[in-house]
């Protein structure tokens, strides 16, 4: 039996200096039994998103090593970026993969938070790892960015979960948490009218009475209306169900889906669901996939 | 860079005695760096199909070890089975996987044939490994089963490629060859009229002017008309193209596809093709699949 696997998806405040980014990523790759699964660096937002995975101990060690590297390499006070941020290592979510639960990921987040706090930086726990309701929502913790946090860190309800109650302007604070696995799935419409994307998003998202486990926003991206979705309950709402809904609501507005994209990773099961549904391949499972037999540990 | 990978899909003449089958499969599993990907044993046909894969040297060693075990364990003269067969280890095809060509697989088949012939059993090379045109087609080599081969093994055109020109009734002969990877994909229709399946098969298969890389037969399986397909050119004719053709021809006969099945393995790319097509996921590739990042060596 394999040990439970976790993913970490740290966001750090450097998106342009590739030598610096490489040094930070190398620290993670150097940890035995850790797999770097992806890196997306965005110079405009001066921000990078790294994805890595492994067993609990390996992911924990890599996350702490990453935090050290970010605190050493990134001087928040000397740089700018469009994206609101509060720290050199800005956000560090842990995600349960195979064999792991959200509670396991929350436990891992707290262990990481404790060790990162001990490096001398304030740490806030969010979402499934939060210690109080007002910290569950990441946007609330980061409200106002570095300046906003600096103004309220002395309030008793904003005492950090770990580390000092004092911000160093070079490193700021770190928000560490646990969240379920999600698939980021965007649909581009054949219109530049963002109001169509917004209408579709509002119709399909769970919050407004749409599909379970679907968050959605209407955006304008590269001149095209985009329905940007996060799918968090793929068993109930697989990609094809979400897309069918987008296609059908878009059609009511005279629009159609031109193409879609995955941002980041999707589990193999997501692709198998699609083949099961469209090809009527009732019994299709992982064991039918050649690479699964060749690669699986 | 990874070394080229090969698959071997031996068919051996024992489908009921599970202790015997286990002993044969264990010999393969014991070879380092060999992955057993599947085993299908059929007591009615008294026949098992084993699938294993690995790099060239490992697959070669495993194939020879398997041949030894079959010759030792299976006494062809003391048993019966519906499927036409000529040997204890009846057929041994090698298939090129990642990084390997059909020529590479043919070379591997000849090395295996030479070593298996040295064990004292006649070996015929077929398909891409064949040394004469009349041996390319497996059905020609096996025509008439053991009795048929026994009657012609003394003919000069049926001299074995390796091993003695004499059949031992306990072990028979082995047909070793190389063929392209294929996906076995069956569609069940909502009718018990096999003539519909035959009409569909004839319309979709390449031989009769249908789709490139498609072999198809109409069968009656479990009371349902089944279109049984082998797809050998998945780039040109992916699963969804073959299935769309089956659905449309079946509709002309008033029938529809109830379900489909894969027999054996399909490459991950096959499933990705499906998702790309139905979900308009233009840029989907292996790197989007979480397990690919976690598992790939």
């Amino acid at each position: 039996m394999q040990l439970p696997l976790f993913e970490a998806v740290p966001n750090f405040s450097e998106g342009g200096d590739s030598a610096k980014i490489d040094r930070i990523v190398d620290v993670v790759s150097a940890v035995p039994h850790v797999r770097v699964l992806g890196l997306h660096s965005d110079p405009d937002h001066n921000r990078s998103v790294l994805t890595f995975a492994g067993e609990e101990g390996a992911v924990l060690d890599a996350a702490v090593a990453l935090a050290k590297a970010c605190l050493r390499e990134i001087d928040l006070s000397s740089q700018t970026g469009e994206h609101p941020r509060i720290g050199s290592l800005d956000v560090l979510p842990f995600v349960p993969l195979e064999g792991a639960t959200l509670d396991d990921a929350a436990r891992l987040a707290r262990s990481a938070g404790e060790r990162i706090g001990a490096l001398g930086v304030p740490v806030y726990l969010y979402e499934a790892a939060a210690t109080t309701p007002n910290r569950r929502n990441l946007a609330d913790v980061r409200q106002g960015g570095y300046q906003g946090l600096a103004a309220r860190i002395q309030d008793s309800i904003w005492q950090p979960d770990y580390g000092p109650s004092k911000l160093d302007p070079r490193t700021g604070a770190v928000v560490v948490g646990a969240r379920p696995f999600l698939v980021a799935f965007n649909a581009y419409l054949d219109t530049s009218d963002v109001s169509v994307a917004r209408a579709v998003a509002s119709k399909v998202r769970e919050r407004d009475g749409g599909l379970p486990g679907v968050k959605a926003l209407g955006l304008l991206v590269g001149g095209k209306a985009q329905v940007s979705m996060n799918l968090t309950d793929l068993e109930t709402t697989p990609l094809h169900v979400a897309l069918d809904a987008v296609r059908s609501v878009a059609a009511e507005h005279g629009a159609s889906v031109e193409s879609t994209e995955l941002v980041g990773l999707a589990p193999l099961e997501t692709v198998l669901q699609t083949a099961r549904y469209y090809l009527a391949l009732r019994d299709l499972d992982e064991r039918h996939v050649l690479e699964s037999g060749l690669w699986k540990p």
Side-chain angles (χ1 to χ4, degrees), chain A:
Chain A
M1 182 56 198
Q2 218 192 322
L3 287 171
L5 292 177
F6 297 88
E7 186 186 64
V9 194
N11 294 221
F12 55 88
S13 299
E14 177 59 67
D17 184 335
S18 59
K20 214 171 258 196
I21 295 168
D22 285 351
R23 285 198 298 272
I24 292 170
V25 175
D26 285 350
V27 158
V28 171
S29 316
V31 177
H33 309 301
V34 162
R35 288 265 184 154
V36 170
L37 301 178
L39 170 69
H40 180 76
S41 292
D42 179 344
D44 293 336
H45 291 150
N46 202 7
R47 189 174 184 80
S48 293
V49 179
L50 178 68
T51 306
F52 62 89
E55 292 165 7
E56 183 161 1
V59 168
L60 178 59
D61 287 347
V64 176
L66 169 91
K68 268 188 214 173
C70 288
L71 300 177
R72 184 178 64 229
E73 296 280 353
I74 303 169
D75 180 356
L76 206 64
S77 64
S78 73
Q79 46 134 282
T80 55
E82 275 181 47
H83 200 284
R85 63 255 171 82
I86 61 166
S88 301
L89 170 57
D90 199 51
V91 191
L92 174 60
F94 292 90
V95 178
L97 300 178
E98 223 179 300
T101 66
L102 188 56
D103 281 347
D104 296 335
R107 194 163 31 80
L108 177 53
R110 290 191 198 107
S111 304
E114 188 171 5
R115 287 176 56 182
I116 293 169
L119 301 174
V121 62
V123 170
Y124 293 90
L125 295 170
Y126 82 103
E127 219 165 300
T131 50
T132 65
N134 65 318
R135 296 181 186 182
R136 287 198 71 83
N137 188 349
L138 177 62
D140 293 340
V141 181
R142 286 199 300 188
Q143 204 177 11
Y146 178 84
Q147 299 306 331
L149 182 60
R152 66 182 182 277
I153 191 166
Q154 296 304 329
D155 295 356
S156 60
I157 64 157
W158 284 107
Q159 291 295 297
D161 289 293
Y162 301 106
S165 308
K166 192 175 171 306
L167 284 174
D168 180 329
R170 290 181 305 110
T171 53
V174 186
V175 198
V176 181
R179 61 163 173 79
F181 192 89
L182 62 82
V183 171
F185 181 48
N186 300 331
Y188 289 89
L189 307 180
D190 62 347
T191 172
S192 57
D193 182 355
V194 70
S195 74
V196 177
R198 287 191 188 129
V200 173
S202 152
K203 203 83 174 187
V204 302
R205 67 186 165 220
E206 181 169 28
R207 202 179 64 195
D208 295 347
L211 297 165
V214 176
K215 295 177 182 179
L217 285 175
L219 304 171
L220 193 67
V221 177
K224 292 278 176 191
Q226 185 204 67
V227 183
S228 173
M229 290 175 279
N230 280 341
L231 308 184
T232 59
D233 181 358
L234 290 159
E235 247 177 86
T236 312
T237 309
L239 264 66
H240 66 84
V241 171
L243 183 59
D244 277 356
V246 168
R247 279 176 168 149
S248 119
V249 182
E252 290 167 17
H253 291 82
S256 67
V257 172
E258 272 190 348
S259 68
T260 66
E261 65 179 5
L262 288 176
V263 182
L265 301 168
L268 177 58
E269 176 59 19
T270 311
V271 192
L272 297 178
Q273 279 174 321
T274 303
R276 249 181 245 129
Y277 177 73
Y278 289 107
L279 299 180
L281 266 171
R282 282 183 195 161
D283 299 325
L284 181 69
D285 69 32
E286 185 187 292
R287 287 167 300 180
H288 290 100
V289 177
L290 173 65
E291 284 82 354
S292 165
L294 288 176
W295 294 342
K296 201 174 177 180

